[in-house]
Amino acid sequence: DAVMDGKTYTATTGLAVRPEWPLTSLTGGAAVNEGTTEFTLPDDWYPGTGDIDVSLSGAPVVDALSLLNTVNTWGWGIDRLISRGWIVLNLPGLLSEKDADLVNPEENRIALNTVLAGITSYQLYDGSWSRWMGDGSDPWSSVSALHLLTAIKEAGVMDPAGLNAGYQWLRRYMASQVPEGETKEELEARAYGCYVLALAHDAPLGWMNWLEERTGKMNNSGRSLLAAAYALAGDRKKAEALAGSESGSASDKLSFPEAGFRMLAFDAMEPGGAPSRDLAARIAEELKKNTPFRRAGDAASMVMALSVFSRNAAAGPATAKLTDSEGNVVLLYDGQPVRWKGSRGGKMTL
């Protein structure tokens, strides 16, 4: 304070008190079974500088936006367009409540039309697609494009241009002579074609049975696609024999796009069932890893797999309550996703 000419003057200075590090976001998650689970949330922030957000749901929480960034910055040719198509088609259903306002339905439709226009530019006169602009027909890229277009139609979004021409090419390709030696790539492209036709309600059982006799020459992606085709055709016994169990592969390193194709098989056999849930949890864990480089095709297969799972994952009979470090009940779960926001962490009990 200062006094001048009989008057008192006061000067006030405000100083910002904040942590010495910049804005930080910490994320984590886990799957829990019956019983009590304790976990600790950060509680050492300066008062008023931290927020906590906890979600409980019957399905893994997915950081789908990182996948969109991957496809925006990586990938070339038709692979990148197909990857963007899967993400634009399925991203709205994968976003959390907090991020739902990031998708505008009209803008999403415009984005999907833009992707479809790009895919059309790669389609050739015979109905197939090239991998690179100006190249010749590429079977795997063609079936991949046809898969996306079929999914768009089956979802009731629109009837994409070039779909019928693509089906005609695929049927001709399936009936064409397999090159001598029956290469793995040729067999797997045909297994993928069987799945796409089964998805379009036209399962080619003759070709599926022919491919079943040659699964030893395929990798897990090809076997999973053939399993998914059999499941859609109603032959669960053959589908299960080809797909195997998720528990048997849970310790294996997760690889893409194989994991996405396994999800197609599991979902076709038992929509939203335990194998699908286990695989979805593993994929969600993979997304948490700070991977600096991820192929656009791998990102697309993650989104495809998780969207298939989330579409059919029904709320289970589980109930739960979350209590804070002082024993207060802050969240009740009855099978539907719930969310709690707070400013104090510490030991939490679920």
Side-chain angles (χ1 to χ4, degrees), residues 89 109 112-113 115-117 119-120 123 129 145-167 200-201:
L89 176 64
R109 186 176 183 86
L112 189 58
N113 278 321
V115 169
L116 293 177
I119 290 176
T120 299
Q123 191 167 21
W129 283 264
L146 200 52
H147 182 193
L148 173 63
L149 300 187
T150 301
I152 291 172
K153 180 179 180 180
E154 291 298 308
V157 177
M158 63 180 72
D159 196 346
L163 192 58
N164 290 333
Y167 287 146
H201 314 288

Side-chain angles (χ1 to χ4, degrees), residues 1-2 9-15:
D1 293 349
Y9 296 88
T10 302
T12 302
T13 301
L15 297 175

Side-chain angles (χ1 to χ4, degrees), residues 110-148:
I110 293 172
L112 189 58
N113 278 321
T114 301
V115 169
L116 293 177
I119 290 176
T120 299
S121 69
Y122 282 81
Q123 191 167 21
L124 305 176
Y125 69 95
D126 63 352
S128 66
W129 283 264
S130 62
R131 186 177 185 184
W132 306 100
M133 190 69 69
D135 279 1
S137 177
D138 182 78
W140 185 267
S141 296
S142 298
V143 182
S144 298
L146 200 52
H147 182 193
L148 173 63

Side-chain angles (χ1 to χ4, degrees), residues 253-341:
K253 183 179 183 298
L254 201 63
S255 62
F256 296 94
E258 176 195 332
F261 296 143
R262 283 179 65 79
M263 180 64 80
L264 296 179
F266 290 147
D267 182 78
M269 289 186 289
E270 185 183 351
S276 298
R277 288 178 179 272
D278 291 343
L279 182 54
R282 293 179 65 200
I283 294 174
E285 282 296 317
E286 180 69 22
L287 292 180
K288 295 176 186 175
K289 298 178 181 178
N290 185 22
T291 304
F293 303 105
R294 181 179 283 134
R295 291 178 58 252
D298 292 350
S301 70
M302 291 183 186
V303 171
M304 176 187 69
L306 291 167
S307 62
V308 165
F309 168 74
S310 64
R311 190 166 59 239
N312 295 313
T319 59
K321 67 178 179 179
L322 180 68
T323 56
D324 62 17
S325 57
E326 297 179 352
N328 301 312
V329 177
V330 296
L331 205 58
L332 292 174
Y333 172 75
D334 62 358
Q336 296 297 329
V338 288
R339 184 180 180 198
W340 170 72
K341 289 185 176 182

Side-chain angles (χ1 to χ4, degrees), residues 50-70:
D51 292 309
I52 294 175
D53 193 325
V54 178
S55 297
L56 297 179
S57 68
V61 176
V62 182
D63 178 18
L65 290 178
S66 67
L67 299 178
L68 182 59
N69 183 61
T70 294

